Amino acid sequence: MSLAALLVLADGRFPAGGHAHSGGAEAACKAGRIHDAATLEDFCRGRLHTAGLTAAALAAAAALGLDPAELDAAADARTPSPALRTAARRLGRQLLRAARATWPDPGLEALAAAFPRGAHQPVVLGLTARAAGLGPLDAAHVAAYESIGGPATATVRLLGLDPFEASGVLARLAPELDAVAARAAEAAHRARSDGTDCLPAASSPLLEIAAEAHADWPVRLFAS
């Protein structure tokens, strides 16, 4: 495992397109569900244990070398919202562009050929981690962190929230993030022998519903 590679992949400045997405925070802010640091923490905690866990397990499984096509189908089945499926594939396509330039690897080239319109972002993330010499737990940590880091950063822009408060939210959630990543990696190891059906499928219906409404907004700051 290369700690430096892990830091590069998890860095918000890595050109993977995440800055254009709020992870549902924009819709939550407009609805009043996020209005300060405390409600941001509640939102991020819920997202971490649902969408974050699911994404982390998919990324860990991809890093372990499970079939990307099977994992992409599993990601589709775990994403009821068409708007979120579109966003996930757009993010996957952008991440793959950055990954191929940063860590050239036959697995990434094969993924690009198999999914010209983009694979789900967690699947791409897992293969990127593998190309960078990282393991399933590393991939799970990056995916879990992205699930809350994106909304926290977006809320600073959306509400003018103090960046120090947003960072405090992420720090307080760190122990839970570690636990979610460990659970995701364990599930990925089980999936290697038992199949992708045993991967977590934690749902967050309000995120899915809000994503569909958000996609129809005529004016919005973030793509999702």
Side-chain angles (χ1 to χ4, degrees), residues 1 22 29 32 48 54 69 82 85 88 98 135 141-142 150 186 203 220 222:
M1 194 273 285
S22 77
C29 286
L48 174 63
T54 301
R85 288 199 297 270
H141 265 106
V142 175
E186 290 171 4
S203 64
R220 57 190 178 186
F222 292 93

Side-chain angles (χ1 to χ4, degrees), residues 49-50 52-58 74 78 180 183-188 190-191 196-203:
H49 288 277
T50 54
L53 171 62
T54 301
L58 288 164
R78 288 158 172 76
V180 165
R183 181 181 170 192
E186 290 171 4
R190 289 197 302 273
T196 57
D197 285 350
C198 73
L199 292 173
S203 64

Side-chain angles (χ1 to χ4, degrees), residues 65-165:
L66 275 69
D67 182 5
E70 289 187 21
L71 292 173
D72 192 74
D76 247 4
R78 288 158 172 76
T79 313
S81 163
L84 287 184
R85 288 199 297 270
T86 297
R89 292 191 182 280
R90 185 179 297 127
L91 282 166
R93 189 164 59 245
Q94 177 63 27
L95 173 57
L96 187 56
R97 287 181 61 196
R100 291 167 72 191
T102 308
W103 294 289
D105 181 81
L108 296 177
E109 296 304 316
L111 187 68
F115 293 93
R117 300 176 66 181
H120 275 264
Q121 193 269 358
V123 179
V124 180
L125 175 60
L127 267 77
T128 300
R130 187 178 177 90
L134 301 172
L137 182 58
D138 303 315
H141 265 106
V142 175
Y145 180 75
E146 286 180 347
S147 75
I148 59 174
T153 301
T155 301
V156 171
R157 295 174 61 187
L158 289 163
L159 297 180
L161 186 71
D162 186 335
F164 295 154
E165 288 191 284

